Amino acid sequence: MIHHSTLIFFLSGFFLIAGCTTTRLEEQTNLPFEILEGESVVITSNSYHVGNETETDFLQCINKSLIKKQKTFNVIPTQQFINQLYPWFEPRTAPQTTDDLSSFLARDLVRERIETLDVKYFVNISGQTKTNSSSGALTCAAGPGGGGCFGLAWWDDTSSYSASIWDLSKESSVGNVSASVSGTSVIPALVIPIPILARTQKTACEELTDQILDFFSRN
Amino acid sequence: MNINHKLLLLLVVLCQSCTQSIVINTTVPEPLVEKIENFNLAVIYEDNIQNYQYENINSKSSACCEIDFSDSQLNLFRKILQSFFPGLIELPNNNSEMLSNVDLYMEPQLDAFEFLSPEESRNDKYAVWLKYKIDIYDNKKTLLSNWYITGYGEQNTGSFGVSESLTKAIDLALRDTGVNLAIKIEDDFDKLVKLISTDL
């Protein structure tokens, strides 16, 4: 019975601390829009040539999450779309703002391919996960008799991302959504280190996906 | 075998296991470009395009040492050039004969390959630069122009392993070379054709 209570105490503590994140969501609609069943969207991101730092695994997470959470419209996986448009959707040639859309779509072959794929919107993601501050100390030692760690370390992460929805027919942004998630991760160590991580990027991915779906459901 | 020999053997085995070796297998997709019909281009690939192997024993990088490009560069140039010129003719690099049905000869070669590791650049990225020189000759083998085509790629280490990040950065640099080559052909090919016409 004592063992069970201890286990419940530790598990509750773990989930309480691990779930200790703060989320801030924002939404802005600029123009009327509509997405019909069977039409497609593509998740895009600005190039590293313009200093964008959005992580590849975050874009993959948004792709997977959008595909999993709805069946109304198609989500063409980003890399598949890039390959279909090679060499006109590479870091050097992809449109970086809505102002670039007209010259991008001016190529007949590009426009035809986009029409074939029935792509109506680009969802342009920007942002990144940053570690703001870290503190504490953790030391580990090992000897012939065994080893262990002692101490406490913690750090704050902020995952701040926004999605701008670009309408390809209007060549303009119809709206923006954003999600910012902050959280503190802790590693207490008394012989064995127990990492209690605030999964800010994963939470931001889920929140931003819900925001995008909510945005599209309002047409 | 005495203890010194055993230690020496262990050291050799350990040192060999430290050597990082990366094989690049980049394949670029079919390019979305307009074909240039009724024009016969012959291409002669230099050795360093056909099978380039990079070796750096002095780099501070933890992912350095040996990079085998295998036929990635050859496939890249083939894919881009064939998409523009359906009748592309490939000639061996010891070819000296002039073919009557060829309008232009292209001779691409790798001019420079450089990369920066996160340790060297003090960030969390691998950055890769490629530079190619393409000599262009008319059908009398008179030099018409030199094109310099570059490619750049970068990849965060993030959730990737060290060699995977470098491989992805090289992959992006090769794809970027394809982009620049396609843009160069679209922008400057007409100028070459005019040069041939004035030559006649």
Side-chain angles (χ1 to χ4, degrees), chain A residues 4 10 15 19 25 29 34 44 49 54 56 59 65 82 84 89 105-107 116 133 136 149 167 173 178 193 203 219:
Chain A
H4 281 179
F10 274 110
F15 285 116
L25 308 171
T29 307
E34 182 181 44
T44 67
H49 290 292
T54 306
T56 312
L59 297 176
S65 195
I82 291 170
Q84 290 266 341
F89 211 76
L105 295 168
R107 287 180 182 277
T116 308
S133 60
C149 297
D167 187 323
S173 168
S178 66
T203 311
N219 58 53

Side-chain angles (χ1 to χ4, degrees), chain A residues 48-49 52-57 79 82-88 90-93 107-110 113, chain B residues 28-34 76 80 125 152-156 159-160 172 175-176 178-180 182-183 186:
Chain A
Y48 44 69
H49 290 292
N52 186 44
E53 303 273 347
T54 306
E55 303 86 354
T56 312
D57 43 359
Q79 192 57 49
I82 291 170
N83 287 345
Q84 290 266 341
L85 265 85
Y86 186 78
W88 310 119
E90 294 293 301
R92 186 177 298 279
T93 46
R107 287 180 182 277
D108 292 340
L109 291 172
V110 169
R113 183 60 55 91
Chain B
V28 294
E30 200 60 50
L32 202 58
V33 294
E34 300 274 3
L76 167 81
I80 302 291
K125 289 171 197 163
Y152 173 77
E154 67 175 47
Q155 179 63 54
N156 282 339
S159 55
F160 301 111
L172 285 166
R175 287 178 73 115
D176 192 44
V179 172
N180 284 331
I183 292 171
E186 280 198 349

